Amino acid sequence: MATSGRSALLSSTSTGSKSTLENSNPEEDDGQDLWSTILSEVSTHSRSKLPSGKNVLVMGEVGSGKTAMVAKLQGVEEFMKGRGLEYLYFSVHDDDIDDQTRCNAWVLDGDLYHKGLQGVAVPVDSISNTLLLITVDMSRPWNALDSLQKWAAVAREHIDKLRVAPETLRELEHRLVKQFQEYTEPGSGDDGNPQRRSDEEESVLLPLGDNTLTHNLGIPVVVVCTKCDAISTLEKEHDYRDEHLDLIQSHIRRFCLQYGASLVYTSVKEMKNLDILYKYLVHRLYGFPFHCPAQVVERDAVFIPSGWDNEKKIAILHENFQTVKGDDIFEEVIVKPPVRKIVHEKEIQAEDDQVFLVKLQSLLAKQPAVTAGRPVDTTSRAPTGSPRTSNRSAAANVANAMPQSGQTSEGVLANFFNSLLTKKAGTGGPGTPGGGNNTPGTVRKSGSKLGLSDVQAELDRISSRETDSDLPNANDAAATDGQDT
């Protein structure tokens, strides 16, 4: 009986529990449905979030403005430059899903010694989420082409060292070619968005040009020309003209065609094209819509997206060339200007007085000794009646011819004529009648002998007045010369 009672109790208990479970099933189903709904919404929302782990690898020469450009994209005014490999970031916000994330920006040092640090920024598992950005300093355009080729070779070497699976690398290269071929000009649609291709148009893609994507790295490449505000300085200081700037642009655009790269001219100083660069980067990395068309009119604000350019569009720049040609070698036309050496004026310091006197003494000691005595100057003594003159009368006449203080005009005139007559009488030869004496009365001329004698007598009478006063002066001068000698 006890057994039958226990079994009846168990059966009744089991029956009651079954009825209780049956009555509670609808509530539990509603709870499970609620949790399933929440989990599915969270899962869906997590899939719609912005992806993380996107990278921008920035390369360029030292001083080309790499860190300053990324800092402006980040919205930072003050920044510090590092060495080796710098880590920066800029924020990405999606208004549609109200989500934001950070895009990693790795700035590689311009010294090739640090090129091995690329492995930290771009490991093998993140190559598909990486974009390469190469900066070109437009304040030094003569280095532009060499710099682009150098850093592109550095990136190529690093990708080869990663040993990416061949299937993955081919897929990345094919994706880059497809993106280049499927490019459409923004604003070609009715709503301002890029016009979508039909299924037939998508199946038929235009072939690439001969020089297009010949160096496919498998990752997107953006060439950024920094410091474009220096173009005006190039025109003023280095005589750059529009054709030189067009030649630089054409060579850079040809390089971009080979790598399937985009081209952006920026200026951090003037805040030019930085917003276009930011929008294009998030467009290529996160798939954001992009509505900015290509810009080639302004020479310092050029923007050429990947897939827009070709050889025919580049040839338009060559139409205005006059002194250069489109196929000229870049280094022969865009030549590095000579470095102007700054000449500092040397400061002249006066030496000590004693040192100067010692040098002067040694200089005088080296000169030959001068003979003692007074130099004789016969020309200065002739008017004073020097006794060394052999012809005393001639010396006296010359002395009388010189005007002295207090001498009258008649005496001056008499002395002048006496000197003339004396010189004329002394010019005769020894065989002539007037050659043996000093009197001018012997001149042979008919009717002139008496007249000359009278003139001589009159002149002697006029000059006799001054003779007495002149003789003491002459004697004193002769005595003085005698003492000097």
Side-chain angles (χ1 to χ4, degrees), residues 201-220:
E201 291 177 346
E202 289 182 356
S203 60
V204 179
L205 298 176
L206 296 176
L208 299 176
D210 295 336
N211 297 322
T212 305
L213 277 172
T214 55
H215 301 72
N216 194 339
L217 297 179
I219 59 176

Side-chain angles (χ1 to χ4, degrees), residues 50 91-101 278 282 288:
L50 292 173
S91 300
V92 180
H93 183 76
D94 191 352
D95 295 333
D96 295 337
I97 61 176
D98 192 18
D99 189 22
Q100 64 180 6
T101 186
Y278 172 80
V282 297
F288 281 23

Side-chain angles (χ1 to χ4, degrees), residues 269-319:
K269 183 178 180 180
E270 299 179 355
M271 294 296 294
K272 186 172 293 184
N273 272 1
L274 292 177
D275 55 340
I276 293 180
L277 176 62
Y278 172 80
K279 293 178 182 178
Y280 190 74
L281 290 178
V282 297
H283 164 68
R284 294 299 301 270
L285 289 172
Y286 298 94
F288 281 23
F290 185 75
H291 308 298
C292 296
Q295 301 175 7
V296 293
V297 177
E298 298 183 12
R299 59 188 179 182
D300 57 347
V302 177
F303 169 63
I304 300 176
S306 176
W308 180 86
D309 210 359
N310 53 44
E311 290 286 349
K312 293 182 179 180
K313 293 179 180 179
I314 296 176
I316 298 176
L317 295 173
H318 304 163
E319 295 177 357

Side-chain angles (χ1 to χ4, degrees), residues 8 15 23 44 49 55 75 86 130 164 172 183 211 219 272 288 304 309 329 336 349 393 400 413 432 476:
T15 306
N23 294 332
T44 304
K49 282 187 176 181
N55 302 298
E86 297 180 71
T130 302
V164 184
L172 294 175
Y183 173 82
N211 297 322
I219 59 176
K272 186 172 293 184
F288 281 23
I304 300 176
D309 210 359
I329 300 176
K336 181 179 180 180
Q349 295 180 354
S393 61
N400 293 332
L413 185 62
T432 59
D476 294 339

Side-chain angles (χ1 to χ4, degrees), residues 9-264:
L9 180 62
L10 290 174
S11 63
S12 62
T13 304
S14 62
T15 306
S17 63
K18 287 182 180 179
S19 62
T20 305
L21 289 174
E22 289 176 359
N23 294 332
S24 62
N25 279 338
E27 295 180 359
E28 291 182 357
D29 292 342
D30 293 341
Q32 291 179 357
D33 293 340
L34 179 61
W35 283 109
S36 300
T37 304
I38 294 174
L39 292 175
S40 62
E41 289 180 356
V42 171
S43 178
T44 304
H45 185 68
S46 63
R47 286 196 300 268
S48 63
K49 282 187 176 181
L50 292 173
S52 60
K54 299 290 185 178
N55 302 298
V56 176
L57 179 59
V58 184
M59 296 182 179
E61 300 295 332
V62 176
S64 60
K66 303 183 294 293
T67 307
M69 178 191 63
V70 178
K72 286 295 182 180
L73 295 178
Q74 187 180 359
V76 177
E77 296 295 335
E78 298 181 358
F79 57 91
M80 296 181 62
K81 296 181 180 180
R83 289 186 59 85
L85 183 66
E86 297 180 71
Y87 173 76
L88 300 172
Y89 67 89
F90 54 90
S91 300
V92 180
H93 183 76
D94 191 352
D95 295 333
D96 295 337
I97 61 176
D98 192 18
D99 189 22
Q100 64 180 6
T101 186
R102 289 181 177 181
C103 182
N104 304 319
W106 303 89
V107 182
L108 186 65
D109 197 294
D111 190 355
L112 290 178
Y113 176 79
H114 304 285
K115 66 179 182 179
L117 297 176
Q118 297 177 89
V120 178
V122 186
V124 64
D125 55 347
S126 65
I127 186 173
S128 59
N129 297 321
T130 302
L131 182 144
L132 176 62
L133 193 150
I134 304 177
T135 59
V136 177
D137 188 357
M138 285 300 290
S139 63
R140 297 172 291 179
W142 44 86
N143 297 329
L145 212 57
D146 291 339
S147 177
L148 288 172
Q149 294 173 355
K150 179 178 74 174
W151 293 110
V154 170
R156 175 83 271 177
E157 180 183 359
H158 174 67
I159 293 174
D160 293 341
K161 288 182 179 180
L162 290 178
R163 296 181 179 179
V164 184
E167 296 81 6
T168 305
L169 188 59
R170 281 196 298 268
E171 181 181 354
L172 294 175
E173 293 176 354
H174 178 71
R175 184 177 65 179
L176 202 62
V177 172
K178 186 178 179 181
Q179 183 273 332
F180 193 94
Q181 292 176 326
E182 291 180 349
Y183 173 82
T184 55
E185 186 73 17
S188 57
D190 297 336
D191 55 352
N193 295 325
Q195 187 176 4
R196 304 185 68 88
R197 295 172 178 265
S198 62
D199 295 337
E200 295 180 357
E201 291 177 346
E202 289 182 356
S203 60
V204 179
L205 298 176
L206 296 176
L208 299 176
D210 295 336
N211 297 322
T212 305
L213 277 172
T214 55
H215 301 72
N216 194 339
L217 297 179
I219 59 176
V221 181
V222 177
V223 175
V224 179
C225 295
T226 59
K227 303 181 183 180
C228 291
D229 52 277
I231 291 179
S232 58
T233 305
L234 294 174
E235 294 176 339
K236 294 178 182 178
E237 297 183 358
H238 303 294
D239 196 20
Y240 274 53
R241 297 186 296 273
D242 290 340
E243 56 185 0
H244 294 100
L245 300 176
D246 292 341
L247 182 66
I248 296 171
Q249 184 187 145
S250 64
H251 279 275
I252 295 178
R253 286 169 65 176
R254 286 175 180 172
F255 172 86
C256 292
L257 271 183
Q258 295 176 358
Y259 287 85
S262 308
L263 176 62
V264 187

Side-chain angles (χ1 to χ4, degrees), residues 1 25-26 37 95 204 230 238 296 342 345 347 351 356 366 370 380 384 432 462 465 476:
M1 293 294 295
N25 279 338
T37 304
D95 295 333
V204 179
H238 303 294
V296 293
I342 301 176
E345 295 182 357
E347 183 179 357
E351 59 184 353
F356 172 74
K366 294 179 181 179
V370 181
S380 62
T384 60
T432 59
I462 294 173
R465 301 175 187 176
D476 294 339

